[in-house]
Amino acid sequence: MAASAALTVAIGLVTALIPNPLFTRMIEAPWWSYPVWPAGAVLSGLLIATYVAPEGRPQPERDATHGRRSVAGAVLSFFAVGCPTCNKIVVLALGTNGAITWFAPLQPVLAAGSLALLAWALRARLRAARECRIPVADRA
């Protein structure tokens, strides 16, 4: 839960969804970015929680594809809710006009893709945790 809260605050501050003096948005956030922002943070926090096992319990096997999906989903959710003209990477690649013309209309697709990737990675991690066999000690 702490990871989800920290991610919500961090993403909210950097993307200026939470008003702050350090970052400002040049374009107002669309309505859909407000539900996508915490949803992505909660899914990311739940994923982080699957990597932290209680003491004495084995962790599920770490699969590189789970990690790639979760990182890709987290990065996509950041790009999805961020200001298109405030993102230096997007502006460098597409220019200001391209950021508004091409990138801004793609942000809802990025949002849906990020949530889908995060949900897929979480499902895979939880399934691996459920299938993780705990060795039984001999009671002789």
Side-chain angles (χ1 to χ4, degrees):
M1 200 60 155
S4 294
L7 285 168
T8 301
V9 170
I11 292 171
L13 288 174
V14 173
T15 60
L17 292 171
I18 298 174
N20 66 81
L22 298 175
F23 300 102
T24 57
R25 288 183 75 96
M26 295 180 190
I27 297 175
E28 188 174 330
W31 67 268
W32 54 262
S33 62
Y34 289 99
V36 167
W37 159 43
V42 167
L43 286 171
S44 296
L46 290 171
L47 264 166
I48 290 168
T50 66
Y51 286 96
V52 180
E55 196 164 320
R57 297 190 80 194
Q59 285 220 347
E61 191 128 340
R62 291 183 187 231
D63 184 359
T65 57
H66 299 159
R68 284 193 296 267
R69 279 181 258 174
S70 57
V71 169
V75 169
L76 281 178
S77 69
F78 174 76
F79 279 114
V81 298
C83 173
T85 58
C86 304
N87 188 323
K88 290 177 182 24
I89 296 170
V90 172
V91 171
L92 182 64
L94 302 173
T96 306
N97 286 339
I100 294 169
T101 306
W102 296 99
F103 184 70
L106 284 177
Q107 284 183 297
V109 176
L110 292 177
S114 73
L115 295 178
L117 277 173
L118 288 169
W120 187 22
L122 179 61
R123 181 178 174 266
R125 284 290 297 170
L126 292 175
R127 188 175 350 157
R130 187 177 60 233
E131 293 172 358
C132 181
R133 302 276 194 268
I134 299 174
V136 179
D138 289 334
R139 296 184 183 221

